[in-house]
Amino acid sequence: MSYPELFLKKNEDKRLRQGHLWVFSNEVDSQRSPLEQFTAGDLVLVHDSGGKALGIAYLNPHALICARLLTRKTNIKISESFFKARLTQALGLRERLFDKPYYRLVFGESDGLPGLVIDRFGAVLSVQITTAGMERYKEVLVKVLLELLTPTAILLKNDNSQRQLENLSLEPELVYGELPEQLLIEENDVRFIVNVAEGQKTGWFYDHRNSRAQFARACHGLKVLDLFSYAGAWGIPAAVAGAAEVCCVDSSESALALASASADLNQVRDKMQFVRSDVFEFLKQAREQQQHYDAIILDPPALIKRKKDFKAGYEAYRRLNHLALQVLSNNGILVSASCSHHLSRDNLHEILRSSARHIDRHLVFFGNGSQGPDHPIHPALPETDYLKTFFCAVSSRL
């Protein structure tokens, strides 16, 4: 199969040879392969400056990440059989890892499908396509997914800021079937009601699965505060596992309504309190009123979405952790997490160290977590290793 050629500048092939999959626009030899000759979504054969072929990529000449490698094989056709092989491989891994169909089926580059995320909610698939290159193959993807999984519904969740960067429509598409009025999933033997159509991202966050189970085991008999609770994925399992009481705080009324319904479903509603509030304001008021909690989960959305936002985002994480420690009971548990790729594990480590010292508390880590196995980490793409979680035991100073 013959594809148009994209040539890199001298020495700009190093990262690809080390395993990375991205080509940035400033790495392209624009004299040999002018980007303006391509249209968004075109397939290209990527070459180093010496003319050696490195693989087949799709391209968007208007994006900073202008090409994403699909395969290092240079003589294959990117067709339905290609996508079927990749999806089958991704499915095989998940079926080895999970005995029920509730997981992230595809995690972009880690599954060899850059620009694609698929979450499986039983018979319903929630799909995020974030690049023009993958958008070209959405009909093929739907066809293959129908053959492999026979779902009852496939929703394309297009309300993603990355699609704006690729000049793609933000309107969601129900491309197959009908969404049920109420969709149930199961995680760690706890059932939840999720809203795929109107929920954040794909409708649920499977990535903290293992850390949630660990947190729930530590909460028996404790008074728990679940901050940025969304649909109760941390707080409800804690209640099911024997927490004395759980307070879920979130700014979204619809998210708290889902959490409340899931609490009813799991018969723990009498232990639960749901508070609609800005988390910063809630923590300030709790501190002023001298309220304390035995266990606090701090799992905010990404507060640093771009590298240039690092300073402001770092300060927001610092303030949140500082405030949370001030309302944590002596001998309490703080679980602090970040899904911001630009906030490193070392950054969060330092925030916790300095916050504990500032208020004169003794803090130790008794566990740490990352994303679940359905979010596999590509060893050459640090961007895929985004989630970090610290389990902290906090007491008065020694």
Side-chain angles (χ1 to χ4, degrees), residues 93-104 209 372-374:
L93 175 61
R94 275 66 176 185
E95 288 184 335
R96 290 191 194 100
L97 298 170
F98 303 102
D99 57 3
K100 293 182 180 178
Y102 308 108
Y103 44 70
R104 175 149 291 183
R209 178 196 311 262
D374 51 348

Side-chain angles (χ1 to χ4, degrees), residues 268-286:
V268 291
R269 184 65 180 80
D270 59 327
K271 296 183 177 184
M272 308 287 299
Q273 180 186 7
F274 301 96
V275 178
R276 185 184 181 190
S277 174
D278 174 82
V279 168
F280 287 94
E281 289 303 315
F282 178 91
L283 286 172
K284 289 176 185 175
Q285 291 180 18

